[in-house]
Amino acid sequence: VTTPIGIEITNQLGGLPPVTVLAIVISGIIGAIIGPLLCKIFMYLAESDDYAINKGYTGFTQYEPNERSMLFLRKFSYALNEDASLLSISKYFSRKYPALRYNTIAIADPKLLYCYGQYACNFIFLPTVNWKKHVREYIKSATLVVSILDSSEGVFWEVFDNADYRYKYIYYLPSKEILTKIIVDPKFNEYENEPLGKFLRELFNIGQSYSIDFPLYIHWDGSSFGEDVNVANILETKIQNGDLS
C-alpha cells in the first residue's frame, strides 16, 4: 500500500495518519532489505537435483560440468579466511598457462548467500538434499581438485570416499595441528588403512621426531602419495604426466 492510499484508508477507519505513514515507511525499508535475500533463498530451495548437477547456479556464471575446472573443497569456515592456497594455484595457472583457461569453482555455504562477490572464484549453490551426489559429480568432471584437509565430516567424505579420483587431487595440509586433529579423530579409524590414511599416519609419526615445514601440498603420483611445499612443482609434474590438459 502506498502512503496516499494508506492515509485515505486510515481516515476512513478513524485511525492515526502519522502512525500509518510510519508503518508504511518501515515496511517499505524492511522489504527493500530482505526482499532480494528471500528471493535468492527461495530460488535456491526451488532448484531441482537435475538443475543443480547440470547447471550449478553461481553468482557469476552457469557452470557446466564438462568445462575445464579447478574444484576447490574445504569446510565452510575456511571460505572467508583461508583462500591463500586457492589463489596461489589459480594465479599460477593463469600466469604460466593462460591457454588452459581453467575456471576455479567452489561449493558455496548456503547460509552465506551474500558473501561471495569479492572472492576470486565462482561459487556453486547446491541443494542441501543429496549434496554428496552433486559434489561427487563435480569431482568426477573437474580436471583438478584442491582440498584443504581437515577433520570435519564433510571434508572426510570428500577426501576418503572419493579415492577413485585421487589422481586429480592436491591435498592442502595447513599445519601440524590440523594433521593431529585428523589422526586422533575417531572417524579416521575407518580410513587409516587406505593409501592416504597410511600416508597421513606416517607423516604424523615422522612429525613426532622431526620438524616438518607446513603447509604441505600432498598428491598422488600414480603409485603412492608424496608431499611438497611448492604447489608449482606438483602442477608441473601433473602437466608433464598428462594429468592436466
Side-chain angles (χ1 to χ4, degrees), residues 114-210:
Y114 266 127
C115 293
Y116 297 106
Q118 59 184 304
Y119 297 100
C121 56
N122 295 329
F123 284 83
I124 307 167
F125 291 93
L126 297 179
T128 55
V129 178
N130 295 327
W131 66 269
K132 291 181 179 179
K133 179 179 67 174
H134 306 317
V135 174
R136 179 173 280 122
E137 184 71 18
Y138 282 110
I139 292 173
K140 179 180 178 180
S141 60
T143 303
L144 177 67
V145 181
V146 178
S147 177
I148 297 184
L149 293 177
D150 192 84
S151 59
S152 67
E153 183 176 354
V155 172
F156 263 62
W157 176 84
E158 291 166 352
V159 169
F160 291 107
D161 288 357
N162 293 280
D164 290 345
Y165 303 104
R166 57 178 169 245
Y167 64 93
K168 297 183 177 185
Y169 272 79
I170 294 178
Y171 306 94
Y172 176 78
L173 185 57
S175 64
K176 183 177 181 179
E177 289 73 23
I178 295 297
L179 175 60
T180 302
K181 286 183 179 180
I182 294 172
I183 296 299
V184 302
D185 193 291
K187 297 189 298 293
F188 183 74
N189 295 334
E190 181 180 349
Y191 305 106
E192 63 179 347
N193 291 322
E194 296 187 4
L196 180 59
K198 291 180 178 179
F199 179 81
L200 292 176
R201 170 68 73 178
E202 180 181 357
L203 196 63
F204 174 78
N205 292 337
I206 293 174
Q208 303 306 300
S209 304
Y210 301 95

Side-chain angles (χ1 to χ4, degrees), residues 14-240:
L16 299 174
V19 176
T20 300
V21 172
L22 180 61
I24 292 173
V25 171
I26 291 176
S27 63
I29 294 174
I30 294 175
I33 294 174
I34 69 173
L37 178 59
L38 289 176
C39 289
K40 204 166 207 179
I41 291 174
F42 287 133
M43 180 175 67
Y44 162 75
L45 294 175
E47 298 291 0
S48 67
D49 286 356
D50 290 339
Y51 183 86
I53 291 180
N54 295 323
K55 292 294 185 181
Y57 175 78
T58 76
F60 306 92
T61 63
Q62 295 295 341
Y63 167 68
E64 297 288 351
N66 59 359
E67 287 185 40
R68 295 175 184 268
S69 61
M70 181 172 67
L71 182 63
F72 182 56
L73 300 176
R74 77 283 179 233
K75 70 176 184 179
F76 288 139
S77 62
Y78 279 111
L80 304 182
N81 59 10
E82 290 290 340
D83 280 352
S85 59
L86 168 67
L87 292 176
S88 67
I89 297 173
S90 181
K91 288 179 179 178
Y92 180 83
F93 261 127
S94 61
R95 183 175 65 251
K96 188 157 187 177
Y97 302 100
L100 292 178
R101 295 189 299 170
Y102 277 80
N103 295 309
T104 305
I105 309 294
I107 308 300
D109 184 346
K111 298 189 294 295
L112 300 173
L113 297 183
Y114 266 127
C115 293
Y116 297 106
Q118 59 184 304
Y119 297 100
C121 56
N122 295 329
F123 284 83
I124 307 167
F125 291 93
L126 297 179
T128 55
V129 178
N130 295 327
W131 66 269
K132 291 181 179 179
K133 179 179 67 174
H134 306 317
V135 174
R136 179 173 280 122
E137 184 71 18
Y138 282 110
I139 292 173
K140 179 180 178 180
S141 60
T143 303
L144 177 67
V145 181
V146 178
S147 177
I148 297 184
L149 293 177
D150 192 84
S151 59
S152 67
E153 183 176 354
V155 172
F156 263 62
W157 176 84
E158 291 166 352
V159 169
F160 291 107
D161 288 357
N162 293 280
D164 290 345
Y165 303 104
R166 57 178 169 245
Y167 64 93
K168 297 183 177 185
Y169 272 79
I170 294 178
Y171 306 94
Y172 176 78
L173 185 57
S175 64
K176 183 177 181 179
E177 289 73 23
I178 295 297
L179 175 60
T180 302
K181 286 183 179 180
I182 294 172
I183 296 299
V184 302
D185 193 291
K187 297 189 298 293
F188 183 74
N189 295 334
E190 181 180 349
Y191 305 106
E192 63 179 347
N193 291 322
E194 296 187 4
L196 180 59
K198 291 180 178 179
F199 179 81
L200 292 176
R201 170 68 73 178
E202 180 181 357
L203 196 63
F204 174 78
N205 292 337
I206 293 174
Q208 303 306 300
S209 304
Y210 301 95
S211 176
I212 299 177
D213 292 329
F214 289 91
L216 294 177
Y217 293 94
I218 301 169
H219 68 108
W220 178 257
D221 66 6
S223 58
S224 62
F225 281 101
E227 77 283 347
D228 203 320
V229 295
N230 188 344
V231 67
N233 293 341
I234 295 176
L235 291 173
E236 289 283 5
T237 300
K238 285 184 173 293
I239 291 172
Q240 292 171 4

